Amino acid sequence: MNLDTLGLSDLAISDFTAWFGWLATILLTFNLALGVLQPLRYDPVVRWPHRRLPASIFKLHKWTGYTAIGVVLVHPLFLLWHATKPFTLSAIYIPFTAPAETLYAALGTIAMYLLLTVTLSSYFRERIGLELWRWVHYATYALLPVFLVHGLLINSSLDPKRAIDYFDAGKLIVETCALIAIAFVVWRLRYTWAARRVKVPSAPITATPPPHSTANSLAPWVGTLRLTSVTTETPRVKTFRFRTEDGGPLPFMFAAGQYFELSGIRNYTASSSPTERDHVEFSIKYEDGGFFSPHMHDDLAVGSLVTVRGPYGHFTIPLDVLKPVVMIAGGVGVTPSLSQIRDLLERGWPGKIELIYSTSTSADVICGDELTRLAVDHANFKLVTVITNDAVAGTCKRITADFLRSTVPDVAEAQVYVCGPAPMMAAVTAMLTQLGVPPSAVFTESFAVG
């Protein structure tokens, strides 16, 4: 087919190539921004974001990456029909063989291969390991500058005698994307430096936590721990136990309710008690379409080493609390409650502890036997389970204000900790306000899927 017969001039072919290039630049810049934000869904130290960002950022990041690579691959193909400087496939896909704008065209080809490498590595992340995959993904920081230089300096007309107008619409798009990319990278580097200054202690802590320690006084630690056992709690939740490589005491302290970063990718709250000094446990739910939880459930073998960083977070119970403690948990949001209940009871805390635990079915109750046993063994601990979809009994219960009023008559005098899906927490928080619980006595902790 002769494109000239369709009225597509030599300039039009160049314009098609340029338009796809500008679209690719916009997509790659947006994808970089999402990639920068993705690990910050759970703010460890620095005060932005204050809450976890939506889990959909991961999916949006993934699909904009796939779209960008499609656009990048199509972008130069229009040059096959260029009237005066037709390209061959080898000239397009082999660097430094282009018949025009050789250097800058080669930069675009190199950027394309970097993008392919980053994208394809995701399909082999289990084989190469998540930490190596993460380092491969850092090629993105080289990819975008190369592509931006390509877009900024190449002459869209492929005529070296024709001056480049750096103020036309196309170049302004590239220049704007370059500024946005630089701003995100600089911001992320500053964020990382600020966080690392807090995260990495001058020396590991090996002593047993003193009774007066709080979350604010526990220095974070970074190192590797070995997975020593995996326990199936429910059809979708497993508990992963980690110990030091030499089997000795943990080289860090944490407060019940704090979380850790695993493999530099995801954050999980410890479900074990901080008084258990020889191991730390994480109860993790398998999330369909998730990124890290399927790896933990399906690929991580006992004996594997995992990089652990932490602890972080302030969803903790002060050791000098005088009020009764009420915990309201939904699904896997019971994880911090497990750590807190175990910790309080092991230390012999005399106050009243009440856990209201909502799950879809009775099979979804995590550590149900242990919680029941603790409620029997400790008069100050009360367990109330709310099954929202009880197929056996044919009932469907919900946590309501009336339910809370009848279950915990003195809830207005308690210190309340709420953890679960965001809609559940919003609804429960509103109920607590209705029941007269002051906002200063309500503490919430959301969790993100992955």
Side-chain angles (χ1 to χ4, degrees):
M1 178 171 53
N2 188 341
L3 295 183
D4 287 336
T5 62
L6 300 178
L8 296 177
S9 65
D10 184 40
L11 178 59
I13 295 297
S14 299
D15 284 346
F16 272 111
T17 304
W19 293 338
F20 272 78
W22 298 332
L23 177 58
T25 302
I26 293 171
L27 286 171
L28 288 172
T29 304
F30 184 53
N31 191 256
L32 174 71
L34 293 175
V36 166
L37 293 175
Q38 172 64 18
L40 308 181
R41 281 164 45 187
Y42 197 140
D43 175 32
V45 176
V46 185
R47 293 306 177 194
W48 193 97
H50 294 280
R51 294 182 178 272
R52 299 181 187 188
L53 299 173
S56 57
I57 281 183
F58 168 67
K59 294 181 180 179
L60 187 58
H61 173 65
K62 180 174 70 174
W63 287 108
T64 54
Y66 291 153
T67 305
I69 199 168
V71 174
V72 167
L73 290 171
V74 171
H75 153 61
L77 292 180
F78 295 101
L79 296 176
L80 295 171
W81 295 281
H82 199 284
T84 58
K85 294 183 175 63
F87 280 50
T88 62
L89 285 175
S90 61
I92 291 173
Y93 296 120
I94 300 177
F96 305 104
T97 59
E101 298 286 349
T102 304
L103 174 61
Y104 302 131
L107 291 178
T109 303
I110 292 170
M112 178 191 68
Y113 286 128
L114 285 172
L115 179 60
L116 280 170
T117 300
V118 171
T119 304
L120 291 176
S121 70
S122 296
Y123 287 96
F124 301 100
R125 57 177 177 258
E126 286 81 12
R127 293 185 182 181
I128 66 176
L130 286 178
E131 299 209 24
L132 177 57
W133 168 85
R134 182 164 58 96
W135 283 104
V136 171
H137 251 62
Y138 286 151
T140 304
Y141 289 100
L143 182 163
L144 193 59
V146 171
F147 196 79
L148 288 170
V149 171
H150 158 79
L152 191 62
L153 299 183
I154 197 168
N155 196 321
S156 59
S157 68
L158 300 183
D159 183 359
K161 296 180 181 179
R162 185 173 176 179
I164 298 176
D165 182 3
Y166 290 101
F167 295 97
D168 72 359
K171 296 301 182 185
L172 286 175
I173 289 174
V174 177
E175 291 157 0
T176 301
C177 287
L179 291 175
I180 293 173
I182 291 171
F184 265 93
V185 171
V186 170
W187 173 81
R188 175 58 192 273
L189 290 174
R190 292 185 62 186
Y191 178 100
T192 301
W193 291 333
R196 290 292 172 87
R197 282 197 297 269
V198 178
K199 288 180 178 181
V200 182
S202 56
I205 300 171
T206 57
T208 301
H212 60 277
S213 64
T214 65
N216 291 328
S217 66
L218 301 180
W221 172 86
V222 59
T224 57
L225 297 178
R226 188 180 301 278
L227 178 64
T228 58
S229 68
V230 180
T231 303
T232 299
E233 305 289 357
T234 75
R236 300 182 66 84
V237 176
K238 293 181 179 180
T239 293
F240 300 82
R241 174 174 291 191
F242 292 90
R243 299 190 64 175
T244 59
E245 294 185 58
D246 61 4
L250 295 174
F252 55 82
M253 300 181 295
F254 69 96
Q258 289 192 295
Y259 65 91
F260 294 78
E261 178 189 82
L262 303 185
S263 296
I265 297 175
R266 287 289 183 270
N267 303 281
Y268 294 102
T269 303
S271 56
S272 56
S273 169
T275 59
E276 297 170 335
R277 297 296 304 139
D278 65 336
H279 67 266
V280 61
E281 293 178 342
F282 303 94
S283 298
I284 299 173
K285 181 181 178 182
Y286 184 100
E287 296 290 349
D288 293 324
F291 168 62
F292 193 68
S293 62
H295 164 73
M296 293 288 293
H297 277 245
D298 299 335
D299 305 315
L300 196 66
V302 171
S304 300
L305 293 176
V306 173
T307 301
V308 176
R309 185 185 296 274
Y312 309 114
H314 301 281
F315 190 67
T316 57
I317 300 175
L319 302 187
D320 58 353
V321 62
L322 300 176
K323 293 183 176 182
V325 171
V326 175
M327 304 173 189
I328 305 175
V332 76
V334 76
T335 300
S337 300
L338 290 173
S339 181
Q340 291 163 343
I341 292 167
R342 289 163 171 165
D343 180 44
L344 291 172
L345 295 180
E346 287 168 4
R347 290 193 289 104
W349 188 71
K352 179 182 175 182
I353 309 167
E354 188 149 357
L355 171 62
I356 299 174
Y357 184 14
S358 174
T359 64
S360 178
T361 70
S362 57
D364 296 318
V365 176
I366 301 171
C367 299
D369 291 341
E370 180 189 356
L371 290 171
T372 301
R373 177 180 56 79
L374 291 174
V376 171
D377 294 344
H378 298 271
N380 62 327
F381 172 53
K382 179 182 177 182
L383 171 66
V384 178
T385 56
V386 179
I387 307 301
T388 61
N389 185 20
D390 193 335
V392 176
T395 59
C396 181
K397 297 181 180 179
R398 289 286 187 272
I399 296 176
T400 64
D402 289 339
F403 173 84
L404 291 175
R405 185 183 293 109
S406 61
T407 305
V408 193
D410 58 347
V411 67
E413 307 301 322
Q415 197 150 294
V416 185
Y417 293 80
V418 186
C419 185
M424 170 259 189
M425 290 198 307
V428 169
T429 301
M431 296 173 199
L432 293 171
T433 300
Q434 178 183 342
L435 295 174
V437 183
S440 60
V442 178
F443 304 87
T444 60
E445 176 84 323
S446 64
F447 61 88
V449 299

